[in-house]
Amino acid sequence: MDKLKDFLLKKFKSSSSEENSGGVKVVFIKELADQLSSIRCLILFALIALTGIVSFYSAASNIGAVSEDSGANFILIRLFATSGTSLPSFTWFLSLLGPLVGLSMGFDAINAEQNSGTLTRLLAQPIYRDDVINGKFLARLFILALMTFALGGFVAGMGIILTGVAPEGEEIVRLLIYLLLSIVYMAFWLALSMLFSVIFRQTATSALSGIALWLFLTIFLPIFAGMVADTLYPITDKADALTQLNNIRIAQGISRLSPSTLYSEAAITILSPSVRTLGPVLMEQAYGAIPGFLPLGQSLLLIWPHLTGLIAGTVIIFGITYTLFIRQEIRA
Amino acid sequence: MNGQNIIEIQNLTKRYGSITAVDNLNLSISKGEIFGLLGPNGAGKTTTILMLMGLSEPTSGSISVAGLNPTREPIKVKRIVGYMPDSIGFYGDMTGRENLYYTAKLNRIPEERQDDLIDSLLAKVGLKDAADRKVREYSRGMRQRLGVADVLLKDPEVVFLDEPTLGLDPEGTAELLDIITELGKKEGKTVLISSHLLHQVQAICDRVGIFVKGKLVAAGTISELAQKIGGERAIEIKASPIEAFPSDVVRSMPGVNSISMQNDMIVIDGAGHELAPKIVRELVAQNMDIYHLKIRGSDLDDIYHRYFQEGGASSNG
Ligand SMILES: Nc1ncnc2c1ncn2[C@@H]1O[C@H](COP(=O)(O)OP(=O)(O)OP(=O)(O)O)[C@@H](O)[C@H]1O
Ligand SMILES: [Mg+2]
């Protein structure tokens, strides 16, 4: 935490002092152009856009069933979290593929330049090392934001046309929050992959480490969580309510270590105002509850820990990346 | 700080774990000087340059470049110092010109000056025709030429060139040496060159320093160094007809130790500098035609090998 404070303080100082080299802007623009013209970036965006649009379309075609279930309120944003007849939801795809976008953007951010010898030349110019890492991160973040808003906007527009329902004000706010959440989620993976690009000298190593961690966190951790919970609190025929409750709590606690769980939970909450709680609900709690929609403030309150968790994770990982990069021996 | 010395290095040491890459180095280089850094592979030349640039932190000791401390004020140092790394890299999917524009922007060269400056530099290093090709398609030497343009772009006060002639063709080498000489002699820039090509270093450097295993074993002008290792210098002569060689007369000259034949050369061991004119006069008197005369030890080759052997005797011999 101290390091983080140091880091923020230093940032503040370097941006306010007149010694500001302005290098961050130059690096930012160059990296932006690089990313926008990179085929890798294009392919992943196409992949996400395609799966997203198809899944959303399939959910929208299923709209009759959806509105029958729970009314037509917030129908547009609910479509993001609704699975179609044969396809998982838009949110599900984004939670699975979003990390890949982040990873693909960052895994060779530093080490590729190190290997090609451009990093030494870059750092021999009158700019701070901060400028290099910040410029690279910000440019990628900007593209993530651009992609997300473009895709989100497109899909929402498609939804309006398909459903023929104009969105309410709150719906738009919820959609924006959802898109921001998606950006933060992908930024987490971006920061992680940039960390790997600083730690590992080989781009293949950093790419594989990123993918391994992605597989572990998005796919294996939830399975693993269930296994641990079942071992500690086995659910048998005669298991009492407390055991069942503990089982769920453990499973949820462990799987919340995964950013994709955090993302999915938060996304569902913000997109489906009918979601009232993210934990297990006891009969006595549910008894007397008035069915209806949670106000925006309450939904936000529910996902606040998720959002801050993801942001804090991103900031901490980027802080570590930053510190390692600043201290790195240039030829090591 | 001495106002004359633009680079001042005191007790500089750099360790990588247990390896001492630079060992208690002391060196001053004055403004406008072309200084050659010599030494075998792994001697610590690149490490020294990296520390001078503020790209690597010294383990101990102090450095001043134009009165600035590169560790504490790296930006100010990098503003006035150009550095060409030994393994220079450019962005392969950008053209040579685009790479230079990036450097120009990083150096905050005003936009209106960029075009002309880059054009003239590209012409200077002979890359005019290849300027708009992707660097990926450049040959090793073309990259090196682009590197020279890249370094000169910021109009540096001090230039560090780490093996700048690596991969250049003879013409490119000659052009580069011209550029360097011009920088030093006409524009008063300070140039520090690390190189393994002794003849080139000898041709353009005012002073040289010889590094062995992180230590500076000698520094000075070439004649100073020659003087220091003096004593055992020999003269080699190629002349004909060989039968006319007045060996008795020469042998009796004061300062001559021995005379021998090596291949078709006569080698006279002794105090070379004083002897040479006398011997020449003698040979001319004998009507001999002299094709070659060299005082061994006055040449950077000889100096280098002598110091290298002394400094690296324990392992490299
Ligand atoms: N990152 C590193 N980690 C550990 N040791 C290093 C590192 N970089 C360099 N060294 C060591 O430092 C010493 C000096 O290396 P340096 O590159 O300065 O030599 P040099 O004189 O430039 O050699 P060359 O003529 O081959 O370029 C060598 O022994 C090398 O092994
Ligand atoms: Mg070197």
Side-chain angles (χ1 to χ4, degrees):
Chain A
M1 240 14 225
D2 263 3
K3 257 200 188 133
L4 197 67
K5 221 165 79 191
D6 256 17
F7 159 68
L8 291 174
L9 265 181
K10 209 167 145 221
K11 283 260 46 71
F12 179 70
K13 260 194 278 170
S14 74
S15 61
S16 62
S17 77
E18 56 177 343
E19 254 301 330
N20 194 343
S21 69
V24 68
K25 198 172 133 207
V26 182
V27 175
F28 177 85
I29 291 171
K30 191 233 165 217
E31 291 290 322
L32 206 62
D34 270 5
Q35 291 294 321
L36 287 176
S37 62
S38 98
I39 295 178
R40 188 205 302 160
C41 184
L42 223 68
I43 290 177
L44 269 149
F45 181 62
L47 181 71
I48 285 234
L50 218 69
T51 51
I53 290 168
V54 169
S55 68
F56 187 87
Y57 183 81
S58 112
S61 349
N62 207 15
I63 187 164
V66 177
S67 53
E68 232 163 71
D69 268 0
S70 43
N73 287 359
F74 296 110
I75 191 74
L76 179 65
I77 54 169
R78 270 161 54 209
L79 285 177
F80 279 91
T82 307
S83 12
T85 37
S86 52
L87 274 179
S89 68
F90 180 91
T91 304
W92 186 85
F93 274 117
L94 205 57
S95 86
L96 188 72
L97 298 180
L100 282 187
V101 177
L103 286 175
S104 78
M105 282 180 148
F107 78 92
D108 63 348
I110 299 295
N111 50 14
E113 287 220 29
Q114 221 163 12
N115 293 333
S116 69
T118 46
L119 190 65
T120 320
R121 208 168 49 80
L122 186 59
L123 293 179
Q125 309 308 326
I127 55 167
Y128 290 100
R129 278 199 187 194
D130 315 27
D131 295 337
V132 175
I133 189 99
N134 291 343
K136 279 175 179 278
F137 184 71
L138 290 176
R140 286 164 172 77
L141 193 61
F142 183 81
I143 291 182
L144 280 183
L146 209 68
M147 274 187 182
T148 312
F149 277 110
L151 181 61
F154 180 80
V155 169
M158 199 168 85
I160 294 172
I161 295 168
L162 287 175
T163 59
V165 182
E168 308 156 37
E170 190 186 322
E171 229 176 333
I172 293 172
V173 176
R174 279 177 181 268
L175 181 61
L176 287 180
I177 293 172
Y178 167 66
L179 294 181
L180 280 177
L181 175 75
S182 305
I183 294 168
V184 172
Y185 175 57
M186 288 190 272
F188 175 87
W189 289 95
L190 171 64
L192 202 62
S193 68
M194 283 183 71
L195 176 64
F196 287 146
S197 85
V198 170
I199 295 176
F200 299 115
R201 190 63 193 260
Q202 300 297 326
T203 51
T205 315
S206 64
L208 284 176
S209 318
I211 290 177
L213 204 60
W214 167 70
L215 275 177
F216 176 74
L217 287 180
T218 31
I219 296 173
F220 292 121
L221 194 67
I223 301 173
F224 177 71
M227 273 163 50
V228 171
D230 285 345
T231 317
L232 290 177
Y233 298 99
I235 306 280
T236 54
D237 291 344
K238 47 187 190 306
D240 56 5
L242 193 65
T243 311
Q244 290 190 18
L245 195 63
N246 281 333
N247 180 299
I248 295 171
R249 283 212 176 115
I250 292 274
Q252 204 170 37
I254 294 177
S255 67
R256 273 186 186 160
L257 291 176
S258 155
S260 63
T261 307
L262 291 181
Y263 171 73
S264 306
E265 284 187 5
I268 297 275
T269 310
I270 205 77
L271 291 173
S272 317
S274 53
V275 171
R276 307 177 60 89
T277 170
L278 287 169
V281 185
L282 296 181
M283 271 317 279
E284 54 200 292
Q285 288 173 323
Y287 184 74
I290 308 151
F293 293 123
L294 217 52
L296 179 60
Q298 294 295 316
S299 289
L300 267 182
L301 213 60
L302 216 53
I303 66 160
W304 201 244
H306 298 67
L307 202 56
T308 45
L310 279 176
I311 291 177
T314 309
V315 170
I316 288 171
I317 290 173
F318 182 68
I320 295 171
T321 311
Y322 176 94
T323 317
L324 285 180
F325 179 67
I326 299 289
R327 302 231 174 113
Q328 195 174 47
E329 182 67 46
I330 189 150
R331 49 210 299 222
Chain B
M1 194 196 92
N2 184 335
Q4 281 285 304
N5 291 338
I6 192 155
I7 296 174
E8 193 85 64
I9 302 174
Q10 271 162 7
N11 305 324
L12 183 67
T13 298
K14 173 74 182 183
R15 285 196 199 90
Y16 289 110
S18 61
I19 301 169
T20 306
V22 175
D23 193 357
N24 203 19
L25 172 68
N26 287 289
L27 180 66
S28 326
I29 297 174
S30 52
K31 197 165 160 44
E33 198 169 23
I34 301 181
F35 191 92
L37 221 48
L38 306 176
N41 297 131
K45 305 179 295 289
T46 302
T47 311
T48 304
I49 295 179
L50 284 174
M51 287 189 285
L52 285 170
M53 277 304 288
L55 288 173
S56 186
E57 240 176 273
T59 308
S60 66
S62 73
I63 304 175
S64 139
V65 176
L68 301 163
N69 178 334
T71 313
R72 262 187 257 126
E73 299 169 290
I75 305 295
K76 284 186 184 158
V77 170
K78 286 169 190 171
R79 220 167 263 154
I80 55 163
V81 181
Y83 168 47
M84 183 161 134
D86 50 356
S87 53
I88 188 150
F90 289 95
Y91 300 104
D93 45 6
M94 284 160 64
T95 66
R97 194 188 298 274
E98 285 166 353
N99 269 288
L100 292 186
Y101 271 106
Y102 188 38
T103 305
K105 282 181 196 131
L106 288 169
N107 281 285
R108 302 178 119 183
I109 293 171
E111 213 146 304
E112 61 275 12
R113 278 188 46 221
Q114 289 177 6
D115 297 340
D116 292 343
L117 189 58
I118 288 173
D119 275 340
S120 73
L121 282 173
L122 282 168
K124 194 171 189 170
V125 298
L127 278 181
K128 227 174 176 164
D129 299 328
D132 295 307
R133 278 168 58 193
K134 301 241 188 255
V135 173
R136 200 188 305 121
E137 302 164 4
Y138 279 22
S139 71
R140 174 88 179 78
M142 287 161 80
R143 271 166 224 249
Q144 203 73 17
R145 285 164 187 257
L146 189 60
V148 175
D150 186 71
V151 166
L152 297 181
L153 198 54
K154 63 169 98 164
D155 191 24
E157 285 297 309
V158 183
V159 184
F160 298 144
L161 304 170
D162 204 346
E163 297 179 32
T165 52
L166 205 69
L168 287 183
D169 54 28
E171 206 165 320
T173 307
E175 282 165 19
L176 176 63
L177 295 184
D178 278 348
I179 292 176
I180 295 172
T181 323
E182 192 185 305
L183 276 180
K185 303 270 144 55
K186 286 212 197 106
E187 301 178 29
K189 309 266 156 99
T190 311
V191 185
L192 185 68
I193 307 174
S194 126
S195 177
H196 296 292
L197 302 174
L198 302 173
H199 288 286
Q200 296 165 8
V201 171
Q202 181 165 19
I204 59 168
C205 290
D206 300 318
R207 282 201 305 151
V208 297
I210 299 178
F211 262 65
V212 178
K213 290 186 179 164
K215 284 198 171 76
L216 187 70
V217 293
T221 63
I222 287 164
S223 58
E224 274 169 16
L225 293 185
Q227 215 108 68
K228 264 188 220 157
I229 61 164
E232 289 175 88
R233 267 171 292 151
I235 306 166
E236 51 180 58
I237 297 171
K238 242 191 246 181
S240 72
I242 201 92
E243 303 78 41
F245 183 69
S247 50
D248 291 339
V249 183
V250 173
R251 205 186 307 272
S252 65
M253 286 179 180
V256 173
N257 298 334
S258 67
I259 301 176
S260 59
M261 286 293 293
Q262 287 176 8
N263 301 328
D264 55 343
M265 269 193 296
I266 307 158
V267 178
I268 303 154
D269 212 10
H273 257 293
E274 297 85 66
L275 279 173
K278 289 188 211 159
I279 295 175
V280 169
R281 239 173 274 134
E282 200 57 47
L283 296 192
V284 172
Q286 299 292 328
N287 257 332
M288 287 179 79
D289 298 327
I290 303 172
Y291 296 101
H292 165 94
L293 183 141
K294 186 185 148 198
I295 302 170
R296 285 189 181 170
S298 64
D299 185 279
L300 192 51
D301 260 316
D302 304 322
I303 298 170
Y304 178 80
H305 290 299
R306 182 67 53 81
Y307 278 110
F308 179 33
Q309 271 158 22
E310 278 170 17
S314 49
S315 65
N316 300 314

